């Protein structure tokens, strides 16, 4: 059979399979194209098998991938999408728990170095539970149709070239738990709805997000949140104290935050990592910070914090790294020096210590008139 005859035969088969679902098929200078919705009813009331819709989605996506230096997509040929590299399939089950149709349930193209964009047809893959695309060269924005990926649990788009505003479509994915947008070029403010979702992990670091952090941040049930290396401004929301035992790691480092560290920080009894370094935070530390019994890494460096350090700040038994450098603290207790091996208190205003700020810098404390809301203590603080 000649090549031209084979192409015609393939097109005839494809048309017969998908035209009944309202999917247009054509041939142009770029090859075969598919358009229209896979959920459109056919004249006979039938539906397109899900592997056919997956084939349409993946071939449409492949057509806009402009560079594949590792040949990852070389075997993305033919209708059996479950054999494609990076594509994972599972059987669906009927009401009795019996395996039925084989469908695409995952895409893992991490470190594939692919260049291209995402296409709206990927929303046809309604059974995928994970989409991992980190360390590629994808660019553009996230299609609004991603809201239709109702089975998606993990979305990792990190280490790419995506841009534009925060992709609000991801907030409409009902089962999403893990969201990783770090190391891209997203910009603008982040929406309040981000913290009203059931996300357990939120990675926004190393983008160009700006504006103030939403005041409902404390509503989030997340255990890990990373805001580092953006352009956020304003103060840390007071509601953060409401997160309680849910939060395990939270990073604010290298933004443009100012104001006080909220009093409620001491309610994070299971917090392991808190990093607020490289901001412009001012005022005294809240005494409740001593109640972070599970803290392992506490980085307060490169701010404008001042006052005496609470005696109990170094008492948590799990603390292995405490960074206080480049602030205006005026006293460090002996407990800190005895209990923590990895302490850095250089370039503060602590009398009698080496590597401190020159006295003229310590004579005027930044934010000296700043009034931080603090819970008055009529007796020594007792945590718990």
């Amino acid at each position: 059979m000649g090549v031209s005859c084979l192409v015609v035969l393939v097109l005839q088969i494809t048309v017969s399979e998908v035209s009944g679902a309202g999917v247009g098929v054509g041939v142009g200078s770029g090859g075969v194209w598919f358009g229209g919705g896979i959920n459109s009813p056919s004249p006979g009331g039938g539906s397109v098998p899900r592997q056919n819709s997956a084939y349409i989605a993946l071939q449409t996506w492949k057509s806009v991938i402009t560079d594949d230096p590792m040949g990852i997509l070389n075997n993305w040929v033919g209708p059996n999408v479950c054999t494609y590299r990076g594509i994972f399939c599972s059987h669906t089950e009927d009401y009795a728990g019996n395996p039925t149709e084989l469908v695409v349930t995952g895409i893992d193209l991490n470190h594939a170095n692919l260049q291209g964009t995402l296409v709206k047809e990927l929303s046809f893959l309604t059974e995928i539970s994970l989409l991992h695309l980190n360390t590629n060269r994808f660019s553009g924005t996230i299609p609004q149709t991603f809201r239709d990926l109702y089975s998606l649990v993990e979305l990792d788009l990190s280490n790419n070239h995506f841009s534009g505003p925060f992709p609000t479509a991801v907030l409409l994915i009902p089962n999403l738990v893990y969201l990783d947008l770090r190391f891209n070029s997203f910009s603008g403010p982040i929406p309040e709805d981000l913290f009203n979702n059931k996300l357990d992990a939120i990675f926004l670091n190393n983008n160009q997000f700006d504006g103030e952090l939403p005041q409902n941040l404390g509503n989030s049930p997340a255990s890990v949140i990373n805001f580092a290396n953006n352009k956020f401004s304003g103060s840390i929301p007071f509601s953060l104290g409401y997160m309680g035992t849910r939060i395990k790691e939270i990073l604010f480092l290298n933004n443009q935050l100012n104001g006080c560290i909220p009093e409620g920080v001491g309610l994070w009894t299971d917090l392991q990592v808190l990093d607020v370094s490289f901001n412009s935070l001012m005022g005294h530390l809240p005494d409740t910070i001593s109640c972070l019994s599970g803290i392992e890494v506490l980085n307060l460096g490169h701010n404008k914090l001042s006052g005496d350090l609470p005696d109990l700040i170094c008492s948590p038994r799990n603390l292995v790294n405490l960074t206080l450098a480049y602030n205006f603290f005026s006293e460090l207790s002996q407990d800190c020096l005895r209990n923590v091996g990895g302490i850095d208190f250089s370039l503060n205003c602590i009398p009698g210590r080496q590597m401190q700020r020159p006295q003229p810098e310590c004579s005027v404390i930044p934010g000296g008139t700043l009034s931080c809301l603090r819970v008055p203590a009529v007796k020594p603080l007792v945590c718990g």
Side-chain angles (χ1 to χ4, degrees), residues 17-23 38 40 46-53 56 101:
E17 288 179 339
V18 302
S19 62
V23 178
I38 64 170
S40 303
S47 62
V48 178
R50 282 179 280 192
Q51 275 215 37
N52 286 357
S53 63
I56 295 169
E101 189 178 0

Side-chain angles (χ1 to χ4, degrees), residues 28-300:
S29 59
V32 182
W33 58 264
F34 300 86
I38 64 170
N39 295 320
S40 303
S42 67
S47 62
V48 178
R50 282 179 280 192
Q51 275 215 37
N52 286 357
S53 63
Y55 174 73
I56 295 169
L58 296 174
Q59 289 299 320
T60 303
W61 189 21
K62 180 182 178 182
S63 73
V64 300
I65 293 177
T66 56
D67 191 24
D68 177 15
M70 299 169 62
I72 300 293
L73 308 184
N74 286 350
N75 80 328
W76 282 32
V77 179
N80 188 2
V81 297
C82 295
T83 64
Y84 290 6
R85 187 174 178 182
I87 305 301
F88 299 89
C89 295
S90 303
H91 284 282
T92 56
E93 295 182 350
D94 60 21
Y95 291 107
N98 300 312
T100 55
E101 189 178 0
L102 194 62
V103 298
V104 175
T105 53
I107 298 177
D108 188 347
L109 293 172
N110 288 345
H111 301 275
N113 199 23
L114 299 171
Q115 177 176 299
T117 59
L118 303 183
V119 295
K120 67 182 189 321
E121 287 82 2
L122 287 171
S123 63
F124 296 175
L125 305 173
T126 54
E127 287 79 22
I128 61 170
S129 60
L130 65 87
L131 177 56
H132 289 179
L133 301 178
N134 85 55
T135 315
N136 284 282
R137 289 174 288 149
F138 290 113
S139 60
T141 58
I142 311 306
Q144 285 295 315
T145 55
F146 267 40
R147 64 182 181 272
D148 298 327
L149 297 174
Y150 56 80
S151 300
L152 193 63
V153 175
E154 297 184 11
L155 178 60
D156 184 354
L157 303 178
S158 61
N159 291 283
N160 280 283
H161 303 286
F162 293 113
S163 59
F166 184 94
T168 54
V170 304
L171 302 180
L172 301 176
I173 302 174
N175 293 301
L176 193 65
V177 172
Y178 180 96
L179 176 63
D180 194 344
L181 302 179
R182 56 188 156 177
F183 292 97
N184 280 288
S185 296
F186 292 111
S187 59
I190 56 176
E192 287 188 359
D193 286 345
L194 175 62
F195 305 114
N196 292 330
N197 281 34
K198 61 180 182 180
L199 291 165
D200 180 64
I202 303 172
F203 295 98
L204 305 182
N205 52 293
N206 296 84
N207 279 280
Q208 298 176 31
F209 290 120
D210 58 25
E212 296 190 2
L213 295 172
Q215 291 301 310
N216 68 331
L217 174 57
N219 292 351
S220 176
S223 63
V224 179
I225 302 178
N226 195 335
F227 296 118
N229 302 314
N230 281 285
K231 300 176 182 178
F232 292 117
S233 58
S235 59
I236 298 176
F238 183 78
S239 67
L240 211 59
Y242 304 149
M243 301 186 78
T245 60
R246 301 191 301 269
I247 190 71
K248 302 295 186 294
E249 298 183 14
I250 189 162
L251 296 92
F252 297 95
L253 68 109
N254 198 25
N255 280 283
Q256 299 166 16
L257 299 172
N258 53 42
C260 308
I261 296 178
E263 178 79 21
V265 67
L267 300 177
W268 303 337
T269 53
D270 291 332
L271 188 70
Q272 298 170 356
V273 177
L274 172 61
D275 193 334
V276 298
S277 62
F278 291 92
N279 283 286
S280 296
L281 299 173
M282 301 180 185
H284 294 197
L285 293 179
D287 286 343
T288 58
I289 203 168
S290 303
C291 296
L292 297 176
S293 56
I295 197 74
E296 297 176 6
V297 176
L298 178 59
N299 193 342
L300 308 175

Side-chain angles (χ1 to χ4, degrees), residues 238 263-264 286-288 372-378 381:
F238 183 78
E263 178 79 21
D287 286 343
T288 58
C372 297
L373 177 62
R374 297 293 182 236
V375 176
V378 296
L381 178 67

